[in-house]
Amino acid sequence: MPAGRDQAQARLNKLRAEIEHHNYCYYVLDNPEIPDAEFDRLMRELQALEAAHPELVTPDSPTQRVGAAPLKAFAEVAHAVPMLSLNNAFSEEDVIAFDRRAREGLGSEGELEYAVEPKFDGLAITLHYHNGHFIQGATRGDGYTGEDVSANLRTIHAIPLQLDPEQAPPWLEVRGEVLMLKRDFERLNAEARSRGEKEFANPRNAAAGSLRQLDSRVTAKRRLTFFAYGIGRVEGSALPKTHDETMSWLAKLRFPVCPERRTVRGVQGLLHYFAELGAKREQLPYEIDGAVYKLNKLSEQEALGFVARAPRWAIAHKYPAQEELTVVEAIDVQVGRTGALTPVARLKPVFVGGVTVTNATLHNEDEVRRKDIRVGDTVIVRRAGDVIPEVVAILPERRPMRDLVTPLHEPFTMPATCPECGAPVVKLEGEAAARCTNGLACPAQRKQAILHFASRRAMDIEGLGDKLVEQLVDKGLIQTPADLYTLTLEQAAGLERMAEKSASNLITAIEASRHKDLARFIFAMGIRNVGEQTAKDLARHFGQLDALMQADEAALMQVPDVGPVVAESILAFFAEHHNRAVIERLRKAEAWQDGEAQPLAAGHLAGKTFVLTGTLPNLARDEAKARIEAAGGKVAGSVSKKTDYVVAGAEPGSKYTKAQELGVTILDEAQLLELLERGVEA
Ligand code: IVH
């Protein structure tokens, strides 16, 4: 080997190790040690060196993560150790039975120890390493033979291409799940939407579609990630004695392992974990569909062995499905508080996400057209957490055909007149929603406005639900929220299905709703584009309703986060004679209490330096950064004595420890939001 080449090889090795290290800090630990610009510099140096010495380029070089020339087809890979599936448990009884079988099988008296972890909703893969180099990776396929997707797997930054040669055994096969994070999925679909392309139904499909690309350059753009959950073949190294230790060993080799994994004892431990993980499920950055329980001791796993294609020593405990199939029986149009017309799918009742769902919002006409949802269609309905059920997509192959028993329905169109009051419907340029033009003269809008006024986060009038408001408006007893405060006990008692006691409860609840703070009252008025947060900001800034009513556009825009659109909505609301009249009556009823004006200076966090670490439950890192900067603060990459605040999420990195050492104030997400909202207390 010529001397120049030797030198180049030495520098290449060093650069590759360094880049892989920073790659690991960034993608696995979510805690970069160097700025992006420095990382790019290292990468450019490596690229230049490889360009000068093409013979030294190896498939496991970090430069190969961008993808390679497209393949014609994937090669087949036989799995030396089969990739089996898991049996499912759908109830506590199933879990109790699983544990009993395990104890009986092992002749064990006491509680067994289990390693527990999420059941990731992605796709299973296996990764082969020889002397620490990633040499091949494959999908599960039928469990015995999969597809060679090595080129695609190389593009996943969370998958190490080179392991520490000191620690890596000669042969190692690591198994785990490839996934797409929820936020990357949302981003991918938003891009597809803006290009008018088809969206993926869920992150799992998006991950599968991305991994099964013949062109790995496409995969490289998709942002997939990976969690290791087991091993296949290992040679030349003693294995740990438990699953838990195996995972720790893999983590030391720098494979990403799930931070939610635990070890627990006995059935109670399993069920407790299931509930705890379920409560966190919506906040996790990736989708899961259950928990996986594995006997922790590998000797016990071996003793129990397999039945058919699944181990006796493990089980997947599933959460109720969040997606189900059902049929659209009708599409109705509902009129909202601001007159927006919303198409709603009436569904054949279906149990999904733990409840029976009969309606799903279709958002707006464009959305119905884009998804081409028609009456009679079989659709995928999704209900995740407390989110309103949605129609994800239709199954075109199940659409009834014209001339057969069920006729094909026409594409949905928005009615030209309001279904509630018959007034013309308009669709304004740049707005997704069509609106009834009748304002509060439309009974549907009036009812919604009153319901909103009474709702828990507004005036909080207990017991005033939709059935009651419906009757009160239809009988002409109330027209506006102000009429609530003149409603008499006799009138209330005269309503259908209204016992004396409930009538008096209603009047008491209305009485008790007076004297609300200004923020709630502003929110309760239901001004378009003024949500709870904006209402708080306005109340804080102006202190008194009269000051807000007199503010012009320039004065309104002094309030943080109030832009021209919000200002315009506020001005339009107070310009309406009818609204001013209602407000005067509410003033007499003492519905609200004015306070003190406490305007926040623009950029109230000016001069403050923040450092972010770990994953925040709701805010993406970019979002947190943008909000801090919008308030005048600065976001730095590392903690020093000059740092004012460290904002720490789940799995914080070394910055957290550093902050503790230096005595820097540590905030969680809620405290950060509070600070953004209220400013720094003097
Ligand atoms: S262990 C022999 N652990 O579930 C057991 N599998 O039905 C091997 N999966 O296709 C699997 N999360 O993709 C295991 N924490 C986890 C998992 C998990 C998801 C998937 C895996 C496999 C299927 C097995």
Side-chain angles (χ1 to χ4, degrees), residues 347-359 383 389:
L347 304 169
K348 185 157 171 260
V350 59
F351 192 73
V352 55
V355 300
T356 300
V357 167
T358 50
N359 302 312
R383 182 184 178 272

Side-chain angles (χ1 to χ4, degrees), residues 41-118:
R41 201 190 57 75
L42 293 172
M43 200 66 181
R44 277 199 303 275
E45 185 185 343
L46 179 61
Q47 280 160 347
L49 212 52
E50 288 186 354
H53 299 273
E55 73 283 6
L56 298 183
V57 178
T58 54
D60 62 354
S61 168
T63 54
Q64 304 307 299
R65 291 197 185 270
V66 292
L71 303 172
K72 293 219 165 43
F74 295 118
E76 283 195 349
V77 179
H79 302 308
V81 182
M83 294 180 75
L84 299 168
S85 53
L86 293 167
N87 286 326
N88 289 325
F90 294 103
S91 64
E92 281 191 22
E93 291 72 49
D94 290 351
V95 175
I96 293 168
F98 159 73
D99 174 69
R100 187 183 340 105
R101 285 193 304 272
R103 278 186 291 117
E104 284 169 5
L106 295 169
S108 157
E109 297 286 307
E111 287 184 332
L112 294 173
E113 187 175 64
Y114 291 99
V116 297
E117 55 205 42

Side-chain angles (χ1 to χ4, degrees), residues 185 198-203 205 287 321-328 345 347-348 350-353 357 359-363 367 371-374 376-384 388-398:
F185 165 74
K198 200 167 156 14
E199 293 173 45
F200 287 105
N202 53 47
N205 289 3
E287 294 217 321
Q322 293 187 320
E323 288 186 0
E324 277 297 348
L325 289 184
T326 188
V327 174
V328 177
L347 304 169
K348 185 157 171 260
V350 59
F351 192 73
V352 55
V357 167
N359 302 312
T361 174
L362 299 176
H363 302 291
E367 172 99 353
K371 293 182 175 165
D372 190 23
I373 302 165
R374 305 191 195 181
D377 273 339
T378 299
V379 293
I380 303 172
V381 198
R382 179 177 171 80
R383 182 184 178 272
I388 305 169
E390 280 200 302
V391 172
V392 177
I394 66 162
L395 268 59
E397 65 277 12
R398 299 236 194 139

Side-chain angles (χ1 to χ4, degrees), residues 82-88 117-125 140 176-177 228-230 243 289 291-292 294 306 309-311 313-314 316:
M83 294 180 75
L84 299 168
S85 53
L86 293 167
N87 286 326
N88 289 325
E117 55 205 42
K119 181 162 195 306
F120 309 107
D121 207 3
L123 65 162
I125 53 144
R140 186 175 102 136
E177 198 91 346
Y229 56 59
H243 180 75
D289 58 354
V292 179
K294 300 171 182 174
F306 297 82
R309 302 187 52 186
W313 48 264

